[in-house]
Structure formats: structure tokens, C-alpha cells
């Protein structure tokens, strides 16, 4: 690879950061980081009617949340700025004059068209292989407009000029741009400039094979943040939408992605979005966190739910670390520690199927009163089961319901330790009374 690696992400601020855009940014960022190169963020904001400040901020915030830091661009600066297309008009005028001088543009009803060379043009794509467009048939490939009648420049022209000015070595973008690339190659040649290497990555489809729209689940990056996903897990997930390692590994930290990523391992076929896989991957990343980090990551989501931070918050949160798929689920999993919810009829019906549940719980509460070292509370469970001639498992379900009024949740040991002796016994006696 000759020369320094320079990649870019060039979003148009007309809406939130889409998962497809985030994946394009990620692939460019990974490639630049892996090769010790530079990752540039430039904003294609020439569409004044559709661009908004809110959309700009949503893109910047989404990039920052994912940890995709840029070496040049908004607020970072750099030698190739400005990094907003709306501020680069003088640069475009200068390069447009080069096309005029070379007699490669002409006016047509007020607009300016670029005069294609009438020959086949081949793209040597790093993902898609060789793609050739034959420009000899002018009816199929009419000369393209590069400047509108109102004086504004079209995407194809400014895109090429920016890639020249910003010295892009590689352009990694969605496959929907593949057919634009032969046009861009003709512009590079007309401007007497060397084009970057191109790599067009597959589109992201819904699970049913339909094209992913802005309204589909998982389309907006800010939704992942709001639902309580970890940035590393989202990077892991979107990296696997189009790229695959050479083995069966699926769980990667972001530094591991930098080490393992390659354009050679990007798939040709469209990738299918799998929400269940996304949640599972997030769960694996959550489970791998040290308990303190998990509690800290969950805290904003727990506070947002109105949960009052009393008692041993960190222990409460740690008790559900292996049970949740997203951080937004934590508050609903630990709220019973502070206030015992009323039992629902379905849960009570399941407990009543065990005809001796009330007797078992009543005896357990009495035995627990005698426990002096609460860390040994489980011994009272074994002793109660033995005295009644049943297996301890027969007592586990009614005890879980007594402590939490739920059928699933943290381990019994965790609940007993966090609730403590007095509250645990009180809750067991409450359910015993309900069953009697």
C-alpha cells in the first residue's frame, strides 16, 4: 500500500445517523486505525432545503457515542478544510474552471454537463471486483450535469473534488454508489488526478430481505443509546453486517475489530439485520463488564426510570447483570428490592399448584429466624426441605415469588443477601398468609 491511508465518512445531515451510515463510518474508521492512517469526517450539506442543525448534531453525537473519533473535520480542524461542503464553494469554482479549460464541460439549457469519453470504464473494486460501464452508447450514458442552472454543483462533482483536495487514499461506501464510480473515475481523469481505491460494501436488508427503511427497528443509532446498548456491542454487531472473520468468533471488543478487520473479508451479498442477534451480542458485552462498570453504565437508565437510589445499589444491579440484554431493562428487574409489587393471579396460581407451599414457607420463615449468620441462609432451605421429605427445588419457586413476587430474576442467594434477614422473613410470611 503506497502512501498514507486516508479514509472518510461524508454524511448528509438530513436526518439521524442511520445504522447503514454508522457501518460505513465504522468500516472507514477501522481501516484507517488498522493502518495507522487518518479518518476524516466531512459533511455534505449543500442541500440547504433538507439539511438541519438537529440532524448535524445527531450525526456528531452518534459518532462520538460509538467512539468513532475523527482526525480531521468538525471541531477538530485539519489541513484540508473547510470540512462542510457549504463552505467550499471557492474550491469547487477553481476545479470547475479546470474542466472548462480542458473543454470537458458545456452548457445545456443553463446547466453545465460533463463530456464523457465514449469508451468502456472499469472499476477495480476491492470488494465487488471488476465492474465495467460502457460509455460508447450515449443513449444509455448521457453526459452528466455537474453544475445546475442555478450555479450549484451536483454531488458527483463535489464528491470527487473533495476526495482530491482531502487526499483520500480509499473510499469505502455503500454498494448503492457503485454505479456512480465510473462517472467519478472519468472526472478524476479529466482533472488529471489519481483516484482513490474504491471498496463498495453490501447493503443492509431487513430479516425478510426487504430494504431497510428509516422507520424499521434498529435503523436509528440514537435508539441503541436510549435502549441501553453498549457502544462496543453496537460496533460489534454492525461490523458483522457485511464483514466476517475467518473463524467462528463473533464477540469482539472495538480494539479487536481494529486488529481483525480487512476489506478482503467483506461479503459481496447483502447482509440481513437480526435484532435478536443484536440483543444477544449486547448481553455478552454486558456480562463481560466488571460489576462496578456495569452498575455505572446502568445508572443513567435506572435514574431515568425514577428508581430511587437507596440501599446497596451496586449489589442490586450486579444481581441482574447476567439476566438483562440491555441497560434499560435493569430498573424493571431490581425495583422489587425497594417495594414489593402485588402478586398477579397467574403467578399465585402457579404457586398454589404446590399444595404444601404455605407449610413449607411457614416452616422456612421460622427456621430463618434462628439463623445467626445470614450468609448461611440457604442452609435453612435445605433443612426445611429435609424436614418435609421433599427436594430443595420444591421450595425454590415459592421462595422466589415470596421475595420478589416474580417467577424469574436474580439468584436466590443474591436476593436474600440484598434484602437481609428481617425483610426476607417479612416477605416470606406475607406470601404464607396469602396462601393460607
Amino acid at each position: 500500500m503506497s502512501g498514507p491511508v486516508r479514509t472518510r465518512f461524508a454524511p448528509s445531515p438530513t436526518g439521524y445517523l442511520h445504522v447503514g451510515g454508522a457501518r460505513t463510518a465504522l468500516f472507514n474508521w477501522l481501516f484507517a486505525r488498522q493502518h495507522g492512517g487518518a479518518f476524516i469526517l466531512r459533511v455534505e450539506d449543500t442541500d440547504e432545503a433538507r439539511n438541519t442543525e438537529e440532524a448535524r448534531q445527531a450525526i456528531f453525537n452518534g459518532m462520538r457515542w460509538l467512539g468513532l473519533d475523527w482526525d480531521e473535520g468538525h471541531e477538530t480542524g485539519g489541513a484540508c478544510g473547510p470540512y462542510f461542503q457549504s463552505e467550499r464553494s471557492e474550491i469547487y469554482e477553481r476545479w470547475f474552471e479546470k474542466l472548462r479549460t480542458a473543454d470537458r464541460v458545456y452548457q445545456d439549457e443553463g446547466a453545465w454537463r460533463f463530456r464523457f469519453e465514449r469508451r468502456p470504464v472499469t472499476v477495480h473494486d476491492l470488494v465487488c471486483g471488476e465492474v465495467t460501464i460502457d460509455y460508447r452508447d450515449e443513449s444509455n450514458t448521457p453526459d452528466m450535469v455537474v453544475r445546475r442552472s442555478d450555479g450549484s454543483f451536483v454531488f458527483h462533482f463535489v464528491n470527487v473534488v473533495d476526495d482530491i483536495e482531502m487526499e483520500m487514499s480509499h473510499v469505502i461506501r455503500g454498494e448503492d454508489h457503485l454505479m456512480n464510480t465510473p462517472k467519478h473515475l472519468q472526472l478524476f481523469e479529466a482533472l488529471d488526478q489519481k483516484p482513490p481505491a474504491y471498496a463498495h460494501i453490501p447493503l443492509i436488508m431487513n430479516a425478510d430481505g426487504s430494504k431497510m427503511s428509516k422507520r424499521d427497528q434498529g435503523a436509528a443509532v440514537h435508539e441503541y443509546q436510549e435502549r441501553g446498548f453498549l457502544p462496543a456491542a453496537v460496533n460489534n454487531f454492525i461490523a458483522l453486517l457485511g464483514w466476517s472473520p475467518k473463524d467462528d468468533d463473533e464477540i469482539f471488543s472495538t480494539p479487536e475489530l481494529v486488529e481483525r478487520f480487512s476489506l478482503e473479508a467483506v461479503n459481496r451479498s447483502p447482509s440481513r439485520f437480526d435484532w435478536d442477534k443484536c440483543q444477544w451480542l449486547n448481553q455478552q458485552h454486558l456480562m463481560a463488564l466488571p460489576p462496578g462498570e456495569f452498575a455505572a453504565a446502568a445508572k443513567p437508565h435506572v435514574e431515568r426510570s425514577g428508581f430511587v437510589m437507596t440501599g446497596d445499589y451496586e449489589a442490586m444491579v450486579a444481581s441482574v447483570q447476567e439476566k438483562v440484554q440491555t441497560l434499560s431493562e435493569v430498573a424493571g428487574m431490581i425495583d422489587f428490592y425497594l417495594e414489593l409489587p402485588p402478586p398477579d393471579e397467574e403467578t399465585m396460581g402457579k404457586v398454589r399448584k404446590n399444595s404444601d407451599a404455605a407449610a413449607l414457607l411457614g416452616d422456612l420463615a421460622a427456621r430463618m429466624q434462628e439463623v445467626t449468620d445470614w450468609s448461611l441462609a440457604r442452609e435453612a432451605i435445605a433443612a426445611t426441605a429435609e424436614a418435609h421429605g421433599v427436594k430443595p427445588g420444591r421450595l425454590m419457586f415459592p421462595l422466589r415469588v415470596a421475595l420478589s413476587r416474580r417467577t424469574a430474576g436474580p439468584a436466590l442467594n443474591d436476593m436474600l443477601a440484598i434484602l437481609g434477614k428481617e425483610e426476607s422473613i417479612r416477605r416470606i410470611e406475607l406470601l404464607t398468609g396469602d396462601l393460607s
Side-chain angles (χ1 to χ4, degrees):
M1 192 177 299
S2 61
V5 166
R6 290 175 61 83
T7 67
R8 46 78 164 177
F9 177 51
S12 177
T14 57
Y16 57 75
L17 181 59
H18 188 274
V19 69
R23 186 193 57 170
T24 298
L26 175 66
F27 282 13
N28 279 280
W29 183 87
L30 290 173
F31 191 78
R33 293 290 171 264
Q34 185 182 72
H35 293 282
F39 173 62
I40 291 87
L41 175 63
R42 76 169 186 243
V43 181
E44 298 189 342
D45 62 341
T46 52
D47 189 345
E48 292 182 16
R50 297 177 62 218
N51 295 334
T52 68
E53 181 59 30
E54 183 182 12
R56 268 193 291 273
Q57 291 306 317
I59 290 168
F60 300 146
N61 292 342
M63 296 276 288
R64 290 189 181 108
W65 181 71
L66 290 169
L68 305 182
D69 56 321
W70 50 93
D71 303 293
E72 299 176 25
H74 172 64
E75 293 185 345
T76 304
C80 300
Y83 292 92
F84 290 81
Q85 283 185 341
S86 58
E87 300 172 6
R88 296 174 61 81
S89 298
E90 290 182 14
I91 296 170
Y92 303 142
E93 291 283 1
R94 189 168 71 246
W95 286 93
F96 180 72
E97 280 305 309
K98 293 189 178 187
L99 290 181
R100 284 182 52 167
T101 301
D103 194 29
R104 292 300 299 272
V105 290
Y106 61 93
Q107 278 195 292
D108 178 20
E109 297 183 359
W112 288 85
R113 289 185 178 273
F114 173 70
R115 202 188 311 275
F116 285 129
E117 285 195 1
R118 295 299 163 184
R119 56 179 177 77
V121 174
T122 300
V123 180
H124 301 278
D125 194 86
L126 297 175
V127 172
C128 300
E130 290 195 353
V131 178
T132 300
I133 299 294
D134 192 343
Y135 283 86
R136 288 176 294 189
D137 185 350
E138 198 168 340
S139 64
N140 286 335
T141 55
D143 291 340
M144 71 171 171
V145 172
V146 290
R147 190 169 196 173
R148 303 178 186 91
S149 56
D150 64 4
S152 63
F153 294 101
V154 303
F155 158 79
H156 301 291
F157 178 71
V158 297
N159 187 272
V160 165
V161 169
D162 287 346
D163 284 344
I164 292 169
E165 286 273 331
M166 296 181 186
E167 301 174 352
M168 291 298 111
S169 68
H170 293 75
V171 170
I172 304 168
R173 59 189 181 185
E175 197 174 24
D176 50 331
H177 285 291
L178 180 58
M179 290 300 103
N180 292 332
T181 307
K183 302 174 186 176
H184 297 176
L185 290 178
Q186 287 231 31
L187 279 168
F188 275 104
E189 188 173 340
L191 294 168
D192 195 26
Q193 298 292 317
K194 181 182 177 183
Y198 285 95
H200 289 86
I201 57 182
L203 300 180
I204 300 174
M205 315 298 280
N206 285 315
D208 62 4
S210 62
K211 188 175 180 181
M212 198 171 193
S213 77
K214 292 184 177 182
R215 292 174 297 279
D216 289 326
Q217 186 178 48
V221 168
H222 65 83
E223 287 182 8
Y224 295 88
Q225 187 174 5
E226 292 163 4
R227 288 171 179 262
F229 284 78
L230 294 176
V234 178
N235 283 333
N236 188 168
F237 174 66
I238 62 178
L240 294 175
L241 292 173
W243 168 82
S244 58
K246 299 298 184 183
D247 50 34
D248 294 329
D249 291 346
E250 290 188 298
I251 302 166
F252 301 98
S253 67
T254 303
E256 287 170 338
L257 287 174
V258 171
E259 184 181 338
R260 298 284 298 272
F261 180 79
S262 72
L263 291 173
E264 291 76 16
V266 173
N267 304 320
R268 282 292 314 275
S269 56
S271 51
R272 297 289 182 101
F273 188 93
D274 185 340
W275 183 249
D276 291 338
K277 176 73 168 288
C278 183
Q279 291 181 298
W280 177 82
L281 275 171
N282 194 61
Q283 185 175 30
Q284 304 312 301
H285 281 263
L286 290 175
M287 289 166 61
L289 289 177
E293 287 186 27
F294 177 77
K299 191 173 182 180
H301 299 274
V302 174
E303 288 178 331
R304 199 178 301 131
S305 73
F307 185 89
V308 181
M309 298 287 183
T310 59
D312 192 343
Y313 163 75
E314 196 162 308
M316 293 178 193
V317 173
S319 74
V320 300
Q321 183 167 355
E322 296 189 0
K323 306 289 182 180
V324 298
Q325 289 191 313
T326 64
L327 294 169
S328 61
E329 298 170 15
V330 172
M333 293 281 283
I334 65 173
D335 56 1
F336 75 89
Y337 284 122
L338 298 188
E339 185 176 349
L340 188 65
D344 63 78
E345 281 307 309
E346 184 180 355
T347 300
M348 291 298 289
K350 290 177 180 178
V351 176
R352 289 193 178 98
K353 285 182 180 179
N354 182 350
S355 57
D356 54 358
L360 286 167
L361 288 173
D363 190 7
L364 175 63
R367 290 175 188 274
M368 282 182 165
Q369 291 284 9
E370 306 302 317
V371 176
T372 55
D373 182 354
W374 191 241
S375 66
L376 303 176
R378 286 284 295 231
E379 292 183 3
I381 300 172
T384 302
E386 186 178 356
H388 288 259
V390 298
K391 292 181 178 180
R394 191 168 177 82
L395 189 51
M396 299 300 187
F397 181 72
L399 175 57
R400 173 175 294 283
V401 175
L403 297 176
S404 68
R405 295 299 191 266
R406 292 175 182 162
T407 59
L412 285 174
N413 278 355
D414 290 335
M415 290 195 287
L416 289 167
I418 292 166
L419 290 169
K421 179 177 178 177
E422 184 180 332
E423 180 63 11
S424 295
I425 293 172
R426 185 185 77 83
R427 292 185 178 200
I428 293 167
E429 289 177 338
L430 274 175
L431 185 61
T432 304
D434 290 342
L435 293 171
S436 300

